[in-house]
Amino acid sequence: MKRDVEIGMLWVEGPLSYVEVLCAQSFLDAGHHVKLYHYKDVQNVPEGVELIHGDSVLKIDRFIQHGRTGSFALFSDVFRYHLLQQNDRMIWADLDAYCAKPFETETGHFFGWESDTHINGGVLGLPPDSEALGQLLEMSEDEYGIPEWYSDREKAKFQEKKDAGDPVHVSDMKWGVWGPQAVTHYLHKTGEAKYALPIEGLYPVGFRDRRLLGRTRAREKVGAMLTENTYSVHFYGRRIREFLSDIGGMPEPDSWMDDRLKKHRIDCDAAPVLSREEKAAMKEAEAMGNVTTAPRLPTGKGGENLTDLADRYGSDKGSKKHRYTELYHMLFHPYRQRKITFLEMGLLIGGPEHGHAADRETTDCPSIRMWLDYFPKAEIHGLDVSDFSWVEHERFTFHRCDMDERDNIAAAIEEIETAPTIVIDDASHASHHQQNAFLEIFPRLDSGGLYIIEDLRWQPDTYEQEGITKTAALFRDWVETRTFTHSDPKVAAEFNKLAEDISGVHLAPARMVPGKRLQVAVIHKK
């Protein structure tokens, strides 16, 4: 006999965006009683949702955050297991799960396949006496436990660390270790996986297709993914909010998500999708007791622009020397809140081009720190002949490379999985190095991307080849004749093969002063 079920959700603190409001409201409109557990103040909660303090399920001292991302997903995993054990008619739903039709279960089991290989726990129903639930709870009691589903090789590696007195905490393990990985393992182990719904049941629109939910042109495609057996659609909360923020804060008109928002009469203006910067500004305002002040981003008058950041971090691209950032801020600002891939070559002045050893000790990386601050969602890559592998940041990857060797450059760019949107060559400034890099990297640049070559008017004696065509002259000829000419016919031929992919070239003078020698080339790819 099918039983009426309650829906349990968790929101630790802060305002719900219209994404979460939509999901909560969808369960209410499907006829479910919804309980939202929280630990601090929450805002924008739909009328009809019952608010309950999370301490009634699990004390706040059990908070665990993921080491790399800072996410509360680990705590949320443990919370839902305790919640299900304590409630007989409860189904857990993440606040990014949209209810397409009422949830039903005869046994208390309610979960589904997200792919051919794993079951997700974003929607999870297990009876309190479930053997799998008991083992999930037992597992989560040991924050340094070695997952039993790991391979023998992985277990041996973790055991070696444990024996050495340096055990690996769950927050430093792979993403999803106490979530989908554990759920899939224990449901298989106990035989309860047989209750899993097919992919169409709870995850008909997969992680890779999540952006389709907010695209007008994909509305019919999304509709075709859903069937009469679809109970829920997963939005993949943080990622869908980032996507919505990138496209202006709202799904496109007449997209599938836009249609759902209208159907459930969600006031999006009252619960906007906030970027990380807006959330940080709001928290700062709350800390100052000014909770009614709308968050303000540092993008207008008096805000911190790229030149400000360059001067703060000590980059020579700022106002104290080259003034490149004045040009870059105009070019890069539209990309500032987008998830792009950014590559800079040459990370600190004073390398072999200035007579120092390639193995010099490096202690700072000012421009990379500037880029990480300026592009809060970008994956930043750095390339240099010296070692900067000591720079640790979740969004930064270092590639060691000798610009004198084209094979080195080609190998380095192959390591970058996503095509770069912006590339800056601030390496040795030797003409053949600049040209080698362009020939290897420009073909990999994203369509519409920008390729920038700095310091066209200075070439180092240590590297510069006698009689070679300067890079500034090479691109000046293209601007004037739409043809590349070079002292080496083979190099000219290679450049001319790429000419059809060039939308335009801008050549800027030193310190942006008309009449001075050319200093920067900006090449836009079609």
Side-chain angles (χ1 to χ4, degrees):
M1 179 179 178
K2 296 177 180 178
R3 304 178 296 172
D4 291 335
V5 294
E6 295 180 319
I7 302 299
M9 297 175 153
L10 173 68
W11 193 256
V12 174
E13 64 172 318
L16 274 61
S17 76
Y18 64 76
V19 175
E20 293 80 43
V21 174
L22 170 61
C23 291
Q25 188 65 50
S26 71
F27 283 99
L28 292 173
D29 291 347
H32 287 296
H33 179 62
V34 179
K35 293 181 177 180
L36 178 61
Y37 295 84
H38 65 102
Y39 285 87
K40 294 184 180 179
D41 289 340
V42 293
Q43 298 87 41
N44 306 330
V45 179
E47 185 178 353
V49 171
E50 181 182 357
L51 279 170
I52 305 174
H53 198 281
D55 277 352
S56 63
V57 176
L58 189 65
K59 295 295 183 183
I60 202 168
D61 59 4
R62 288 293 307 273
F63 257 46
I64 305 172
Q65 291 177 259
H66 189 256
R68 179 175 59 84
T69 66
S71 167
F72 286 125
L74 281 164
F75 177 78
S76 176
D77 292 332
V78 181
F79 185 93
R80 74 191 66 186
Y81 305 148
H82 282 268
L83 180 69
L84 294 175
Q85 186 190 50
Q86 296 169 23
N87 293 271
D88 185 34
R89 297 187 304 107
M90 180 76 72
I91 292 179
W92 166 273
D94 287 344
L95 255 175
D96 55 358
Y98 171 85
C99 181
K101 69 174 185 176
F103 287 5
E104 300 174 326
T105 175
E106 294 182 359
T107 66
H109 296 87
F110 196 83
F111 43 82
W113 293 98
E114 185 182 23
S115 71
D116 293 335
T117 58
H118 77 273
I119 297 168
N120 198 328
V123 170
L124 185 63
L126 288 169
D129 60 355
S130 160
E131 187 179 352
L133 180 57
Q135 294 191 35
L136 285 165
L137 287 164
E138 182 179 354
M139 167 208 69
S140 63
E141 288 300 315
D142 184 0
E143 297 176 14
Y144 294 91
I146 301 172
E148 61 181 57
W149 58 90
Y150 275 12
S151 67
D152 291 341
R153 183 178 179 181
E154 288 178 307
K155 288 179 183 176
K157 181 178 68 174
F158 279 85
Q159 189 62 50
E160 185 178 346
K161 284 181 168 289
K162 201 169 189 177
D163 294 342
D166 184 27
V168 179
H169 190 262
V170 64
S171 62
D172 293 317
M173 295 181 187
K174 295 177 183 177
W175 179 265
V177 63
W178 277 5
Q181 291 182 33
V183 168
T184 303
H185 172 76
Y186 288 114
L187 288 174
H188 275 301
K189 182 180 178 182
T190 64
E192 292 168 83
K194 67 183 180 182
Y195 296 107
L197 296 169
I199 293 173
E200 64 178 338
L202 299 175
Y203 307 98
V205 182
F207 177 79
R208 294 183 180 277
D209 291 327
R210 65 193 182 279
R211 297 180 184 88
L212 299 179
L213 296 167
R215 293 294 193 191
T216 303
R217 67 178 184 274
R219 178 173 175 170
E220 291 185 5
K221 185 174 182 179
V222 172
M225 295 177 176
L226 278 56
T227 74
E228 60 181 10
N229 298 318
T230 298
Y231 287 92
S232 178
V233 177
H234 214 71
F235 287 158
Y236 301 97
R238 177 173 63 88
R239 300 300 183 88
I240 199 69
R241 291 194 301 272
E242 289 175 356
F243 162 69
L244 292 167
S245 179
D246 288 344
I247 64 172
M250 290 292 296
E252 293 178 356
D254 297 322
S255 62
W256 189 88
M257 182 178 284
D258 180 57
D259 183 61
R260 300 302 100 180
L261 290 165
K262 293 174 181 174
K263 175 182 177 180
H264 296 280
R265 300 179 181 179
I266 306 301
D267 184 353
C268 297
D269 291 336
V273 168
L274 300 179
S275 67
R276 291 181 183 178
E277 292 76 18
E278 289 170 318
K279 287 180 179 178
M282 181 172 284
K283 282 193 173 183
E284 183 178 354
E286 289 175 352
M288 297 173 64
N290 191 9
V291 296
T292 61
T293 300
R296 180 179 178 183
L297 294 177
T299 55
K301 184 177 180 181
E304 193 169 40
N305 63 25
L306 185 56
T307 300
D308 297 326
L309 292 174
D311 294 345
R312 174 148 65 88
Y313 288 121
S315 170
D316 63 2
K317 301 181 193 296
S319 65
K320 294 178 172 55
K321 191 172 183 180
H322 292 304
R323 293 176 54 191
Y324 296 153
T325 52
E326 296 176 20
L327 171 64
Y328 294 167
H329 187 67
M330 289 188 284
L331 294 173
F332 299 166
H333 193 268
Y335 299 96
R336 190 168 187 178
Q337 299 300 325
R338 289 176 53 188
K339 294 183 68 174
I340 64 170
T341 298
F342 181 101
L343 168 64
E344 181 170 37
M345 296 172 276
L347 308 185
L348 184 66
I349 194 170
E353 70 275 15
H354 291 281
H356 301 290
D359 288 329
R360 63 186 170 133
E361 181 181 3
T362 60
T363 58
D364 196 9
C365 204
S367 63
I368 293 299
R369 291 193 288 136
M370 173 183 72
W371 298 127
L372 286 166
D373 197 333
Y374 188 75
F375 294 111
K377 300 178 182 178
E379 293 294 329
I380 309 293
H381 293 262
L383 189 155
D384 201 285
V385 69
S386 299
D387 185 16
F388 288 84
S389 59
W390 53 268
V391 179
E392 293 187 1
H393 193 283
E394 63 181 17
R395 291 188 291 108
F396 174 71
T397 305
F398 172 67
H399 310 267
R400 195 163 187 179
C401 175
D402 186 346
M403 303 296 288
D404 215 36
E405 302 290 338
R406 281 187 63 170
D407 287 347
N408 264 208
I409 302 171
I413 192 64
E414 283 296 325
E415 293 175 358
I416 303 175
E417 296 180 357
T418 306
T421 301
I422 299 172
V423 173
I424 294 181
D425 183 350
D426 186 22
S428 73
H429 312 302
S431 297
H432 68 292
H433 287 184
Q434 293 171 332
Q435 294 159 27
N436 286 347
F438 185 84
L439 291 171
E440 293 295 339
I441 297 174
F442 185 77
R444 289 286 307 277
L445 188 69
D446 198 15
S447 176
L450 299 169
Y451 192 105
I452 296 169
I453 306 172
E454 295 183 353
D455 289 5
L456 297 175
R457 68 188 180 97
W458 178 83
Q459 281 69 50
D461 294 335
T462 52
Y463 280 122
E464 190 69 2
Q465 296 177 350
E466 186 176 352
I468 189 173
T469 299
K470 305 296 185 186
T471 305
L474 185 68
F475 281 100
R476 186 176 59 233
D477 284 350
W478 186 90
V479 169
E480 294 174 356
T481 68
R482 290 299 189 269
T483 301
F484 289 104
T485 57
H486 196 278
S487 57
D488 185 335
K490 292 183 179 178
V491 174
E494 284 193 81
F495 267 89
N496 281 308
K497 283 184 179 179
L498 298 178
E500 63 181 15
D501 290 330
I502 297 175
S503 174
V505 175
H506 172 70
L507 300 171
R511 293 188 63 79
M512 312 303 145
V513 177
K516 286 188 175 289
R517 294 173 61 188
L518 298 178
Q519 182 75 320
V520 179
V522 181
I523 302 100
H524 184 253
K525 188 173 182 179
K526 289 182 181 177

